[in-house]
Amino acid sequence: MDLLPPPTEAPAAGGPGAGGSGRGLRRGVGFRSLKLVSVAMDEPLPVDPVGATFGRLANGLTYYVRSNPKPRMRAALSLAVKVGSVVEEEDERGVAHIVEHLAFSATSRYTNHDIVKFLESIGAEFGACQNALTSSDETIYELLVPVDKPGLLSQAISVLAEFSSEVRVSAEDLEKERGAVLEEYRGGRNATGRMQDSHWALLFEGSKYAERLPIGTEKVIRTVPHETVKRFYQKWYHLSNMAVFAVGDFPDTQAVVELIKEHFGQKAPGPLPPPVIPEFPVPSHEEPRFSCFVESEAAGSAVVISCKMPAGEIKTVKEYKDSLAESMFHCALNQRLFKISRTKDPPYFSCSSAADALVRPVKAYIMTSSCRERGTVEALESMLLEHFLREEPVVGIEYEAQLQKTLLPHISSAEVAKFAENFSTASSCVIKIVEPRAHASLEDLKAVVLKVNSLEEEKSIPPWDEEQIPEEIVAEAPEPGSIIGKVEHPGIGATEMILSNGMRICYKYTDFLDDQVVFTGFAYGGLSELSEAEYTSCSMGSTIAGEIGTFGYRPSVLMDMLAGKRAEVGTKVGAYMRTFSGDCSPSDLETALQLVYQIFTTNVEPREEEVKIVMQMAEEAIYAQERDPYTAFANRVREINYGNSYFFKPIRISDLKKVDPIRACEYFNNCFKDPSAFTVVIVGKIDPAISLPLILQYLGGIPRVEDAAQPLSRDDLRGLPFKFPESIVREVVRSPMVEAQCFVQLAFPVVLKNTMMTEDIHYVGFLSKLLETKIMQVLRFKYGQIYSVNVAVFLGGNKPSRTGDVRGDISVNFSCDPDISSKLVDFVLEEISYLQAEGPSEEDVLTILEIEQRAHENGLQENYFWLDRILRSYQSRLFSGDIGFTFALQEEGRMKVREALTPQTMQSALRRVLPFPCRNQYTVVILMPKSSCWASVKSMLSWSSSGVSRDAKILAGIAGALVLTVSLWRYSRSTLKS
């Protein structure tokens, strides 16, 4: 996407809506109510951004401002620089990314990561949104900030202005940031990173892109002098190569333009003309390229087919129509690929296709599959058989929606099918297989291509055999239930009903999103009630049911039945609860509720072929985890912190062979039978006049189970047997690794007393954010030795009883250089000890309060936030029948803690919630690469001499089973976020 208009354009402001509010798709205007537009196919799309104020300053900077009222009092700001890693010289490989790091470290006005501190002080955390990304072609700085106080927007825009020309690149700054960049580099040197890097190089062979991954080389990261980094910054960071984007709750976009002019307008364009950003062509090739990549740590066997083509432009209505047809092609292809994955003896477990804009001049059609070991050749043949079957105008949300509504009915199947021509082995095709052990050869891959090409020439590829698709999800409409009790809860803005079958419904209308309704139903009683003999089989119930068909139909059939609808429903059986959840469009609420009805009224019956596929997938997943160095680490952490209960043990291949599919499905069916056990919360754009009859018919119409046992009481549930160690445990887990990785978890036990639960549950949240912020300041900003840190709270092992203390843990997690891992653990312990002894500063407390408040304000404008809050109120130990009262008590507890939060109360909570002193009770588990015996002895001697542990144990864990998931190959290494 070209971010800049042609050089001849330099309006002060322009386009429809310039200077006005320009709020785009109006509140309450849905797709179905949009008017059609009259357009000709050769008609050009608007050149000027529709609904945005835009222009170019005299110094060359381009800006775009658009008002958007949701979320309220928030703004998203970006500075886009049209330069990335591809322009780097050999001695600069990785420098574009280093500049992006240094921007947050020190500028003319901000030093020592003061920009991060400013963002955190206004509640805008450094992390997911307060971030930047470097790709091959561009660098983008992003800020999401509140705008409800005077001066905040102005200061945030001033930060972007600092990034544009004031980044301080001193030798000291660079040395302090090298460690963080190196850790980011090391984190990418895992199996996924190696596979992606290899495929990237093969895709762009013959182009400079092949040698310019944004992360760069370890040598440059370690040794590049600050003069080289500064030279790159000064050479490429010209205002004429930049654009500022501001989208937010702006009552007057022209006022935002004036702020941009205030902070950017006085900047000189530079003494010399900016260098022309060169174009780097990617050569096409008629003959396919092949690769057999052996990766001992791979999560499984996979096949990737990529077909490159010019990126093209969308400048006319016809080109826009073609882009819609292209999307429809991939959607149709993915449906076929899914159906193949569910046939008898399928060639692959999963397969998907998409178009992806890889670099500025090139996009690609990419098909990715996961398959069984030794199955890559068969998977490739099946994928090939299915083959034969970025300069964009900113047209605006409403106009684009109108175009879609106008054009979609006129797209023919032939127009969709023509895009299959791009999926050809003669279209700059790259075919790659990934295997944990070598089984296929390049000759095998070439033979498959020749075979499929011959079949195509002979027209002997068999046509697709379509399945019979039922017209209705629910064959016979159920008799609607009735409402036997109804209560309004004005404090929540929700209505609660008890239906005639005993199901409790609570619904809340919102207008946050015009196209979303979300819901969750829960009932007490889950896997913790099972004996060890039954646990393994029954814990597989949800997985087996999901593959066979939870709703009375095979997944491949249901996919066609749901074509054109947005309705997703899933189930989960956890330790103490079973739940169903959904997300749908208001217009498809009936479909979503029909799916829920099917869960309760149909039985999952295991069929041999489908069970075979599920067990093959599970077996491959277990083998994949055995190859993953992190598995032994994760298993050992679980064993140390939670004990040796069967509930926490990983599933082995030997366990898998004992699974009884009939018992697994029987257990799953019984989990979703009795409607009277369930409470259902629904949140979103629901019109009661339309929705209530549907709720009564499909939820109220679920028949009562006459011989059902009394629903389980939350207080009678069987608790999981777990206990945190009472002493200090420090261990190293050593795993074989292709490249050295190191991961650290430092955990402390948490005990929340029943008498102080209402307040301490909020204190835990504040404490975890405080610890994360302070440890980040120490390990990254002070010592420059990590990339990121995560502080996690686990309280999920406790049964949801109304009595008793709540136990769990708080863990500190980070990756680092293996040689300094023990030292960094001691730094963390020192920081937590200091906070317990001296308390945090006033500034620390104000920052944490602001972060929490801003997150809370954002959440109040999101459907999932309200869904979660209402569910937590029902599941709270305070709940005794009145959800409104419980909700108010929880909010009162939050506000009470906020008002009481001071350095002293935070210090007291640190002592009360964590062990005090913290050095008295904790566990540390460090994942390290397997090394020589002498290195292991040296490590133990080092730890023992520090007085921390007398005997460090080096243990290898047993691999655990995870659900096998394969996502589209997205080249995450080609875009780095910092």
Side-chain angles (χ1 to χ4, degrees):
M1 177 180 180
D2 195 335
L3 305 172
L4 310 176
T8 55
E9 296 180 10
S21 61
R23 291 184 178 264
L25 201 60
R26 299 184 303 278
R27 178 178 296 183
V29 176
F31 187 80
R32 287 170 173 77
S33 62
L34 287 171
K35 295 180 180 179
L36 301 180
V37 291
S38 177
V39 290
M41 288 297 104
D42 59 352
E43 182 178 324
L45 294 172
V47 176
D48 296 341
V50 176
T53 303
F54 69 99
R56 185 192 293 272
L57 302 183
N59 56 20
L61 178 86
T62 305
Y63 61 83
Y64 300 86
V65 181
R66 182 182 176 97
S67 182
N68 188 68
K70 297 178 182 179
R72 293 187 296 273
M73 306 308 294
R74 294 293 185 272
L77 308 175
S78 296
L79 173 69
V81 186
K82 218 165 86 168
V83 169
S85 59
V86 74
V87 302
E88 295 168 345
E89 300 298 335
E90 186 65 25
D91 65 342
E92 297 174 330
R93 294 177 64 177
V95 166
H97 179 233
I98 290 173
V99 167
E100 173 226 299
H101 270 253
L102 291 173
F104 287 91
S105 174
T107 67
S108 297
R109 290 180 55 194
Y110 300 92
T111 60
N112 195 27
H113 293 91
D114 286 340
I115 287 177
V116 176
K117 295 172 186 175
F118 157 68
L119 293 171
E120 290 178 337
S121 73
I122 63 173
E125 296 179 76
F126 178 69
C129 292
Q130 311 323 316
N131 219 320
L133 62 86
T134 303
S135 71
S136 300
D137 295 308
E138 59 195 20
T139 305
I140 300 177
Y141 300 89
E142 303 170 322
L143 305 176
L144 179 61
V145 297
V147 292
D148 57 347
K149 294 180 181 178
L152 290 186
L153 180 60
S154 176
Q155 190 166 358
I157 292 174
S158 79
V159 168
L160 294 184
E162 290 285 295
F163 293 159
S164 72
S165 60
E166 307 298 328
V167 176
R168 191 184 73 187
V169 186
S170 68
E172 181 185 4
D173 296 330
L174 180 57
E175 289 308 313
K176 290 178 67 173
E177 200 63 26
R178 280 191 208 273
V181 180
L182 276 169
E183 188 51 41
E184 188 175 0
Y185 173 87
R186 186 182 295 109
R189 302 309 303 159
N190 53 20
T192 300
R194 288 189 294 272
M195 290 186 289
Q196 291 179 345
D197 289 0
S198 169
H199 195 62
W200 182 267
L202 190 64
L203 268 176
F204 296 106
E205 184 179 299
S207 165
K208 193 176 179 183
Y209 285 105
E211 302 172 347
R212 290 299 182 268
L213 281 168
I215 192 61
T217 66
E218 183 177 4
K219 178 182 178 181
V220 170
I221 296 171
R222 288 187 181 277
T223 63
V224 65
H226 79 279
E227 292 89 352
T228 301
V229 179
K230 177 173 281 190
R231 184 174 64 245
F232 179 92
Y233 179 66
Q234 292 174 341
K235 177 179 179 181
W236 295 110
Y237 271 58
H238 284 260
L239 293 169
S240 56
N241 289 338
M242 301 181 192
V244 171
F245 298 85
V247 180
D249 190 10
F250 308 137
D252 179 11
T253 56
Q254 194 58 44
V256 182
V257 171
E258 294 305 317
L259 290 176
I260 293 173
K261 291 179 177 179
E262 175 187 339
H263 294 292
F264 284 89
Q266 80 280 8
K267 292 182 178 294
L272 298 175
V276 176
I277 298 175
E279 294 184 2
F280 299 95
V282 178
S284 60
H285 48 96
E286 290 187 6
E287 292 299 319
R289 296 171 182 167
F290 298 93
S291 171
C292 297
F293 191 86
V294 178
E295 172 53 64
S296 61
E297 296 175 7
S301 298
V303 179
V304 184
I305 303 173
S306 306
C307 296
K308 302 183 297 256
M309 62 206 73
E313 298 178 348
I314 301 177
K315 291 191 173 181
T316 67
V317 172
K318 173 65 167 60
E319 289 165 345
Y320 183 78
K321 181 184 177 185
D322 286 344
S323 73
L324 295 178
E326 182 183 56
S327 298
M328 294 170 69
F329 163 73
H330 287 287
C331 182
L333 180 57
N334 282 329
Q335 286 186 312
R336 288 177 60 157
L337 296 172
F338 177 79
K339 288 182 178 182
I340 292 171
S341 73
R342 294 303 177 267
T343 56
K344 182 179 180 180
D345 295 323
Y348 42 71
F349 297 133
S350 66
C351 188
S352 62
S353 166
D356 203 354
L358 301 178
V359 294
R360 188 168 288 146
V362 166
K363 73 175 183 179
Y365 284 7
I366 305 171
M367 189 185 297
T368 308
S369 75
S370 69
C371 59
R372 64 183 182 277
E373 194 167 352
R374 299 177 183 272
T376 52
V377 174
E378 182 186 359
L380 173 61
E381 180 174 339
S382 177
M383 293 162 70
L384 287 174
L385 286 172
E386 288 308 304
H387 286 186
F388 307 109
L389 305 171
R390 186 132 89 96
E391 230 179 77
E392 299 174 344
V394 186
V395 298
I397 299 171
E398 188 168 34
Y399 182 65
E400 184 169 359
Q402 288 176 314
L403 270 181
Q404 289 184 13
K405 186 173 183 179
T406 302
L407 298 175
L408 283 172
H410 301 286
I411 296 176
S412 66
S413 59
E415 288 176 295
V416 173
K418 75 173 185 179
F419 286 95
E421 297 171 5
N422 293 329
F423 246 143
S424 165
T425 54
S427 297
S428 296
C429 182
V430 174
I431 296 173
K432 182 186 186 111
I433 65 168
V434 178
E435 297 180 304
R437 288 180 290 271
H439 297 296
S441 66
L442 292 177
E443 287 69 28
D444 294 329
L445 307 188
K446 294 175 182 178
V448 169
V449 171
L450 289 174
K451 176 182 177 182
V452 174
N453 287 345
S454 297
L455 288 173
E456 183 197 10
E457 291 173 3
E458 297 167 3
K459 305 296 182 184
S460 57
I461 296 176
W464 181 254
D465 185 18
E466 294 289 352
E467 297 180 272
Q468 286 295 113
I469 307 300
E471 293 185 4
E472 301 292 338
I473 294 174
V474 178
E476 186 175 337
E479 189 69 26
S482 59
I483 301 172
I484 62 174
K486 187 174 182 179
V487 180
E488 300 290 341
H489 297 288
I492 313 175
T495 302
E496 185 182 49
M497 306 180 299
I498 305 297
L499 305 186
S500 51
N501 61 4
M503 183 176 279
R504 185 199 307 265
I505 308 290
C506 180
Y507 68 88
K508 175 180 174 63
Y509 170 85
T510 70
D511 63 355
F512 308 139
L513 293 173
D514 288 336
D515 195 47
Q516 186 180 61
V517 175
V518 296
F519 58 84
T520 293
F522 75 92
Y524 290 113
L527 297 172
S528 74
E529 304 300 312
L530 297 169
S531 65
E532 183 171 3
E534 286 199 306
Y535 174 76
T536 301
S537 288
C538 294
S539 66
M540 288 287 294
S542 293
T543 302
I544 295 174
E547 293 299 323
I548 291 176
T550 309
F551 310 101
Y553 304 97
R554 293 198 309 276
S556 58
V557 173
L558 187 64
M559 173 188 288
D560 285 338
M561 297 176 73
L562 296 178
K565 300 180 183 293
R566 196 179 77 76
E568 301 175 5
V569 177
T571 60
K572 179 182 178 182
V573 180
Y576 301 115
M577 283 186 283
R578 45 247 156 84
T579 61
F580 61 83
S581 299
D583 188 326
C584 65
S585 170
S587 59
D588 295 321
L589 178 61
E590 180 173 14
T591 299
L593 296 180
Q594 287 176 336
L595 294 175
V596 175
Y597 177 83
Q598 291 290 101
I599 293 173
F600 281 83
T601 58
T602 61
N603 285 325
V604 177
E605 298 177 357
R607 293 176 287 270
E608 183 178 351
E609 285 302 324
E610 291 163 328
V611 170
K612 179 182 175 182
I613 294 172
V614 177
M615 302 312 286
Q616 284 180 344
M617 292 172 67
E619 188 172 298
E620 289 287 339
I622 293 174
Y623 285 134
Q625 290 307 303
E626 289 177 347
R627 295 189 291 267
D628 188 342
Y630 285 87
T631 299
F633 167 78
N635 290 341
R636 186 57 183 149
V637 165
R638 190 185 303 116
E639 184 179 358
I640 290 174
N641 291 348
Y642 308 129
N644 204 27
S645 165
Y646 65 88
F647 194 88
F648 297 108
K649 284 183 178 179
I651 296 178
R652 304 182 181 95
I653 294 293
S654 57
D655 299 321
L656 204 59
K657 293 178 179 178
K658 298 175 185 176
V659 170
D660 179 354
I662 295 176
R663 175 61 184 130
C665 291
E666 180 185 71
Y667 174 77
F668 177 84
N669 291 333
N670 289 333
C671 284
F672 300 95
K673 279 297 179 196
D674 183 8
S676 67
F678 280 80
T679 295
V680 184
V681 179
I682 307 173
V683 177
K685 193 71 175 288
I686 52 176
D687 180 353
I690 298 173
S691 303
L692 280 183
L694 299 176
I695 291 171
L696 291 177
Q697 182 163 38
Y698 296 110
L699 298 186
I702 299 171
R704 274 185 174 272
V705 181
E706 299 301 332
D707 57 347
Q710 184 71 19
L712 284 169
S713 164
R714 60 194 296 172
D715 295 311
D716 297 330
L717 298 176
R718 179 183 174 189
L720 297 179
F722 70 96
K723 186 179 181 182
F724 199 90
E726 295 183 358
S727 59
I728 297 170
V729 177
R730 293 184 74 143
E731 290 197 5
V732 170
V733 173
R734 293 194 180 272
S735 289
M737 298 179 190
V738 176
E739 296 188 54
Q741 302 272 319
C742 178
F743 196 83
V744 177
Q745 184 182 96
L746 166 63
F748 303 91
V750 169
V751 179
L752 305 183
K753 297 295 184 181
N754 185 48
T755 54
M756 300 188 67
M757 186 68 59
T758 306
E759 297 173 20
D760 276 357
I761 199 72
H762 294 289
Y763 269 114
V764 167
F766 284 111
L767 291 180
S768 65
K769 182 52 62 179
L770 172 70
L771 293 176
E772 190 170 274
T773 302
K774 298 301 291 183
I775 294 169
M776 185 75 160
Q777 289 175 4
V778 171
L779 297 190
R780 177 166 177 177
F781 300 157
K782 182 178 179 180
Y783 293 108
Q785 295 297 336
I786 67 166
Y787 174 58
S788 64
V789 65
N790 170 257
V791 175
V793 179
F794 173 72
L795 300 173
N798 299 272
K799 68 178 184 178
S801 171
R802 292 184 178 88
T803 60
D805 299 339
V806 169
R807 299 179 182 276
D809 63 71
I810 288 182
S811 61
V812 180
N813 306 272
F814 57 89
S815 62
C816 64
D817 183 335
D819 292 338
I820 61 171
S821 56
S822 185
K823 180 193 292 185
L824 296 188
V825 168
D826 289 336
F827 285 158
V828 174
L829 288 170
E830 286 175 12
E831 181 63 21
I832 299 175
S833 296
Y834 175 84
L835 291 170
Q836 285 186 322
E838 304 295 332
S841 68
E842 186 74 30
E843 180 184 0
D844 292 332
V845 174
L846 292 175
T847 295
I848 300 306
L849 280 169
E850 193 70 12
I851 290 174
E852 190 273 346
Q853 179 62 25
R854 296 307 187 179
H856 184 76
E857 291 170 356
N858 288 340
L860 290 175
Q861 303 176 66
E862 297 173 358
N863 288 325
Y864 274 105
F865 178 83
W866 279 100
L867 178 67
D868 181 64
R869 287 195 74 191
I870 296 173
L871 284 170
R872 283 192 287 112
S873 294
Y874 275 115
Q875 295 162 9
S876 167
R877 60 177 57 202
L878 299 173
F879 178 67
S880 58
D882 187 338
I883 186 64
F885 180 70
T886 306
F887 189 93
L889 282 180
Q890 288 186 318
E891 182 60 18
E892 181 184 313
R894 170 182 170 268
M895 293 306 300
K896 186 176 181 181
V897 171
R898 282 187 58 85
E899 292 166 1
L901 212 61
T902 64
Q904 292 73 33
T905 57
M906 284 285 272
Q907 180 186 15
S908 176
L910 277 165
R911 295 180 174 187
R912 182 174 69 252
V913 174
L914 297 181
F916 177 64
C918 67
R919 291 181 180 274
N920 286 355
Q921 188 183 9
Y922 63 86
T923 64
V924 174
V925 184
I926 302 179
L927 172 66
M928 299 277 274
K930 210 163 202 174
S931 57
S932 65
C933 296
W934 166 243
S936 301
V937 172
K938 183 179 178 182
S939 173
M940 288 190 288
L941 291 174
S942 170
W943 277 19
S944 181
S945 64
S946 67
V948 178
S949 174
R950 291 189 176 182
D951 54 339
K953 302 175 183 177
I954 302 173
L955 299 172
I958 302 172
L962 297 179
V963 177
L964 184 64
T965 59
V966 177
S967 59
L968 182 67
W969 201 286
R970 283 295 184 185
Y971 304 104
S972 61
R973 298 264 294 150
S974 68
T975 301
L976 296 173
K977 300 203 80 170
S978 299

